[in-house]
Amino acid sequence: ALKPKSLQHSKPALAPPIISQATPPISSSSTPATTRTHQVYGRCIEITGKIMTDQTGQFLVPSSRGNKYVFVLYDYDSNNILAEPIPNRTKLQLLRAHTKLVTQLKHRGLTPQIQYLDNEVSHMMQEH
């Protein structure tokens, strides 16, 4: 049985490869026309190892797990904000949250070297 010509298997025609085309210029009355390209440039930056930490004020309603505060850590190099809920501001809870977040950074290859502390807890964290 012969199949109609439209149902016969044939190889699809391959389109020619597209090699780095520039998109048309952007025109705007306030900016000059520029040509966009598909080029990406990278640069090396110095890793500083800076982190900053702070705690939120007490929330009005505790969470379902009894947490009333959040310990926040900002890593300057990765521009990453990490947070850990804590039930109170005791030295034990602050050190537990700090250790957990620093461990997360270390597992990702970021080693904190300089830490900027909140004035409120600086005397507790200086020993750590």
Side-chain angles (χ1 to χ4, degrees):
L2 293 174
K3 293 181 181 178
K5 195 171 186 175
S6 63
L7 297 177
Q8 291 178 355
H9 295 287
S10 63
K11 292 183 179 178
L14 297 175
I18 299 174
I19 301 173
S20 185
Q21 290 182 333
T23 58
I26 300 171
S27 60
S28 174
S29 59
S30 63
T31 60
T34 59
T35 302
R36 290 187 181 182
T37 63
H38 298 285
Q39 298 173 355
V40 178
Y41 298 97
R43 68 180 183 151
C44 295
I45 60 168
E46 182 181 343
I47 301 298
T48 62
K50 287 195 284 186
I51 62 172
M52 291 87 171
T53 58
D54 200 3
Q55 298 81 41
T56 61
Q58 183 175 355
F59 294 128
L60 297 175
V61 179
S63 71
S64 61
R65 294 183 180 176
N67 295 308
K68 298 177 185 176
Y69 301 91
V70 175
F71 183 86
V72 180
L73 184 143
Y74 171 71
D75 180 54
Y76 179 80
D77 296 324
S78 65
N79 196 25
N80 196 2
I81 299 172
L82 303 173
E84 179 68 21
I86 54 177
N88 52 46
R89 288 181 163 182
T90 61
K91 183 177 181 178
L92 176 68
Q93 291 299 326
L94 292 172
L95 288 177
R96 183 194 59 78
H98 180 269
T99 304
K100 182 177 180 179
L101 297 180
V102 168
T103 302
Q104 285 182 16
L105 288 175
K106 287 182 180 180
H107 282 289
R108 290 168 176 83
L110 300 164
T111 305
Q113 297 174 1
I114 300 171
Q115 179 174 357
Y116 295 96
L117 298 168
D118 179 19
N119 292 337
E120 200 170 307
V121 294
S122 60
H123 62 279
M124 287 192 285
M125 297 292 282
Q126 282 175 353
E127 298 170 6
H128 182 65

